[in-house]
Amino acid sequence: EVQLVESGGGLVQPGGSLRLSCAASGFTFSSYEMSWVRQAPGKGLEWVSYISSRASSIYYADSVKGRFTISRDNAKNSLYLQLNSLRAEDTAVYYCATVAFDPHWGQGTLVTVSS
Amino acid sequence: DIQMTQSPSSLSASVGDRVTITCRASQSISSYLNWYQQKPGKAPKVLIYAASSLQSGVPSRFSGSGSGTDFTLTISSLQPEDSATYYCQQSYSTLWTFGQGTKVEIK
């Protein structure tokens, strides 16, 4: 069974940093492209970032470009999102998801940016 | 970016009704269209992938159709547990985009 478990969320002050992790199991993680998606409170879904299976291609939404960094460790079956220079508008639940014909999503981790 | 436009933004229907939600892409996306159901406080759940394939475990009253730019999610007989927000998502581009959501309420 495909499982994606996000962690690392929490309360951080504006300008601060966080590192989110996504632990994958139940499939060959190293063969899958992955994405992060976020959802601000009461809002819709927003794609954040993409990474190819070997990390040779990486893309970001304009809203996070230059502040967020996606990475992966295929040996550890893990996906990461480094969040820097955080703003109030980055407050959201962050989900990791497989980029596949039949996508799978994790349960999400909440990031709150507030002083 | 590919824009996804969903309609209606909300609807109210009775148990047993047939419900249809539409999604239009700003350019052809072939069949690279997924439908999600999201309940409050929960992660989005994949209902339909590749426009018309039912995700394992999803009730058969849910169905999807369409290709190119116009797509439809149909609930053949609305049940109380179907009260949720539904989103379409294109995966034709690596830069995913989502519809704005349709909130379905039970009368």
Side-chain angles (χ1 to χ4, degrees):
Chain A
E1 179 193 0
V2 173
Q3 275 206 315
L4 297 168
V5 179
E6 301 93 338
S7 60
L11 174 64
V12 61
Q13 291 188 338
S17 298
L18 275 179
R19 189 195 197 203
L20 307 183
S21 298
C22 170
S25 61
F27 64 105
T28 307
F29 177 73
S30 59
S31 297
Y32 279 75
E33 303 159 51
M34 299 292 295
S35 276
W36 287 96
V37 176
R38 69 183 181 183
Q39 185 172 36
K43 303 296 185 183
L45 299 165
E46 179 190 18
W47 170 81
V48 172
S49 185
Y50 160 93
I51 187 167
S52 62
S53 59
R54 296 184 179 184
S56 56
S57 295
I58 286 174
Y59 302 104
Y60 298 99
D62 287 344
S63 57
V64 307
K65 202 172 293 182
R67 301 187 299 121
F68 289 9
T69 302
I70 191 171
S71 63
R72 65 190 297 159
D73 186 335
N74 287 342
K76 294 183 178 180
N77 289 339
S78 293
L79 175 72
Y80 305 103
L81 188 67
Q82 178 69 39
L83 287 61
N84 295 333
S85 303
L86 282 161
R87 307 166 180 167
E89 55 266 35
D90 296 318
T91 294
V93 176
Y94 287 74
Y95 300 99
C96 62
T98 60
V99 178
F101 209 53
D102 168 19
H104 291 269
W105 290 46
Q107 291 305 299
T109 187
L110 175 63
V111 172
T112 303
V113 184
S114 175
S115 53
Chain B
D1 292 3
I2 300 173
Q3 306 303 316
M4 306 301 294
T5 304
Q6 246 179 276
S7 61
S9 55
S10 66
L11 65 89
S12 181
S14 300
V15 172
D17 282 354
R18 182 181 184 88
V19 168
T20 299
I21 299 169
T22 63
C23 183
R24 175 165 288 178
S26 60
Q27 67 180 72
S28 177
I29 58 171
S30 185
S31 295
Y32 290 89
L33 190 284
N34 304 316
W35 288 100
Y36 296 84
Q37 177 193 65
Q38 187 177 35
K39 297 184 178 181
K42 300 294 186 181
K45 171 187 174 183
V46 179
L47 295 177
I48 302 287
Y49 62 95
S52 60
S53 295
L54 192 68
Q55 178 71 290
S56 175
V58 173
S60 58
R61 63 180 180 274
F62 291 94
S63 64
S65 64
S67 67
T69 60
D70 293 312
F71 302 87
T72 300
L73 173 70
T74 300
I75 309 173
S76 61
S77 178
L78 190 67
Q79 299 302 303
E81 60 267 31
D82 300 336
S83 177
T85 300
Y86 295 82
Y87 294 94
C88 63
Q89 173 232 339
Q90 64 80 17
S91 56
Y92 179 84
S93 165
T94 299
L95 283 61
W96 290 349
T97 45
F98 297 85
Q100 75 277 21
T102 296
K103 187 172 185 178
V104 174
E105 295 181 333
I106 310 296
K107 281 183 185 175

